[in-house]
């Protein structure tokens, strides 16, 4: 039986939450909110009810990372996980509440209710609603506007595609210009070897809940899509970051898919093997940028 489980959890789909290793560096910013929510979900046998029970007061805590990049990249950031009333009164409901034939995003927009399954994916989605309620609401508003304008089609269109990618897989990055330029160029050896010391100045926020879900069972090729945080934004202040995202998430910008791929286990300190240059010479994961002719 997995740690944290009791016999009554047998058959509960959310029992997989007990497998989260909160000691991993990528989970550090999620731990204070997520770990007690897991215990609540296992006791109540409901991820939705556990998420509804969170009354996570906003805190302004920021600690400097040690010289170790794993600490710096996963610094105990200022929290913007608010009580649900502050998140425009969003409520988490069972997946069965979503009427057949109604789009998920449209249902959330019209009811302020988030259909939630018992499992990792919707658990991390709910945590993100608590940490970044304004940005999550903005993404939902934009999705609903696209659905209203375009209807439900076989293809989502560039804006809805970009919104879905952001919601599911984005890594927010605040970084020096040299680091960003190397990432854009897919110059992996420069990014992770030559500029390794500059990663002390990089701050990352794993926003995409599908990406965080994958990291429960990490593997080398897990790739996030990086969205750059403006230089003037304090990335450690999640309340300010949440508010900035509301302003920055605009349809015209999103339609350009302003993302850069990042194999996240390449982040210095996130994988013991990446201390060696050879880790980044694996071109099946760290692929060179395509030359467009």
């Amino acid at each position: 039986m997995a740690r944290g489980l009791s016999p009554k959890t047998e058959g509960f789909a959310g029992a997989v939450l007990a497998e989260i290793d909160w000691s991993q560096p990528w989970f550090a910013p999620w731990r204070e909110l997520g770990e007690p929510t897991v215990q609540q979900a296992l006791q109540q046998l409901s991820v939705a009810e556990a998420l509804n029970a969170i009354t996570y007061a906003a805190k302004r805590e920021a600690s400097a990372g040690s010289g170790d990049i794993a600490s710096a990249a996963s610094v105990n950031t200022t929290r913007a996980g608010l009580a649900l009333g502050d998140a425009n009164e969003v409520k988490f409901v069972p997946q069965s509440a979503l009427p057949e034939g109604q789009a998920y995003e449209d249902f959330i927009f019209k009811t302020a209710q988030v259909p939630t399954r018992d499992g990792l994916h919707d658990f991390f989605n709910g945590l993100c609603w608590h940490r970044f309620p304004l940005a999550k609401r903005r993404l939902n508003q934009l999705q609903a506007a696209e659905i209203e304008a375009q209807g439900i089609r076989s293809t989502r269109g560039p804006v809805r595609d970009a919104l879905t990618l952001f919601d599911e897989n984005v890594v927010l990055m605040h970084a020096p210009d040299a680091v960003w330029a190397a990432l854009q160029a897919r110059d992996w050896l420069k990014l992770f070897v030559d500029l390794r010391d500059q990663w002390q100045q990089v701050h990352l926020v794993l926003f995409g809940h599908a990406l965080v879900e994958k990291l429960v069972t990490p593997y080398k090729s897990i790739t996030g899509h990086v969205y750059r945080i403006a230089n003037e934004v304090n990335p450690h202040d999640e309340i300010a970051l949440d508010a900035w995202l509301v302003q920055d998430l605009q349809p015209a910008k999103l339609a350009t898919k302003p993302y850069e791929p990042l194999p996240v286990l390449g982040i210095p300190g996130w994988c013991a093997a990446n201390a060696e240059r050879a880790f980044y010479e694996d071109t099946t994961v760290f692929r060179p940028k395509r030359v467009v002719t």
Side-chain angles (χ1 to χ4, degrees):
M1 185 175 294
R3 62 183 183 276
L5 296 184
S6 65
K8 75 173 185 177
T9 61
E10 186 176 350
F12 171 51
V16 69
L17 272 60
E19 298 298 325
I20 300 170
D21 181 1
W22 294 104
S23 69
Q24 295 287 2
W26 45 83
F27 288 136
W30 297 96
R31 186 170 190 170
E32 186 179 353
L33 180 60
E35 198 166 27
T37 308
V38 165
Q39 296 308 314
Q40 186 90 357
L42 295 176
Q43 291 169 13
Q44 294 187 261
L45 301 185
S46 170
V47 170
E49 288 306 313
L51 291 167
N52 287 331
I54 299 172
T55 54
Y56 197 64
K59 299 178 181 178
R60 295 186 178 274
E61 299 174 334
S63 62
S66 69
D68 174 73
I69 188 60
S71 298
S74 302
V75 67
N76 181 20
T77 59
T78 299
R79 300 294 194 176
L82 307 178
L84 284 177
D86 294 325
N88 293 323
E89 299 181 352
V90 167
K91 181 181 179 182
F92 299 94
V93 296
Q95 181 70 20
S96 58
L98 177 63
E100 186 175 351
Q102 184 171 7
Y104 169 83
E105 298 91 349
D106 182 62
F107 179 79
I108 295 172
F109 181 73
K110 290 178 177 174
T111 68
Q113 297 179 6
V114 181
T116 302
R117 298 163 295 186
D118 291 320
L120 291 165
H121 190 84
D122 288 2
F123 168 74
F124 284 117
N125 181 50
L127 293 189
C128 196
W129 270 99
H130 278 283
R131 282 184 73 191
F132 299 101
L134 301 180
K136 289 289 284 187
R137 176 66 77 179
R138 174 63 172 164
L139 291 170
N140 179 245
Q141 288 172 337
L142 292 172
Q143 286 276 17
E146 287 296 306
I147 291 171
E148 179 69 21
Q150 307 292 336
I152 301 298
R153 302 181 298 178
S154 57
T155 57
R156 287 176 175 264
V159 175
R160 286 198 69 202
D161 275 346
L163 287 165
T164 300
L165 190 59
F166 192 107
D167 199 26
E168 298 276 353
N169 210 53
V170 144
V171 178
L172 303 173
M173 174 186 274
H174 193 274
D177 288 344
V179 170
W180 182 252
L183 176 62
Q184 286 186 305
R186 317 279 205 276
D187 190 342
W188 305 114
L189 292 177
K190 181 176 181 180
L191 177 66
F192 290 119
V193 179
D194 299 345
L195 298 176
R196 201 169 186 86
D197 287 348
Q198 291 204 31
W199 280 82
Q200 301 281 352
Q201 303 169 51
V202 173
H203 184 77
L204 301 173
V205 177
L206 301 188
F207 185 99
H209 54 280
L211 175 63
V212 184
E213 177 191 13
K214 290 175 189 174
L215 284 163
V216 173
T217 51
Y219 52 91
K220 186 176 181 179
S221 61
I222 294 176
T223 299
H225 286 76
V226 179
Y227 187 92
R228 192 179 189 186
I229 301 170
N231 288 337
E232 66 271 16
V233 177
N234 177 4
H236 302 284
D237 182 348
E238 289 192 355
I239 294 173
L241 178 56
D242 195 23
W244 174 78
L245 283 169
V246 172
Q247 300 302 317
D248 202 63
L249 290 170
Q250 298 295 333
K253 180 175 181 177
L254 289 164
T256 68
K257 290 193 178 176
Y259 310 125
E260 299 296 338
L262 175 68
V264 293
L265 290 190
I267 296 167
W270 278 26
C271 174
N274 78 25
E276 302 296 329
R277 179 187 179 96
F279 184 87
Y280 302 107
E281 293 174 337
D282 178 359
T283 57
T284 65
V285 174
F286 297 95
R287 300 175 182 176
K289 191 166 188 174
R290 291 180 183 176
V291 178
V292 179
T293 57

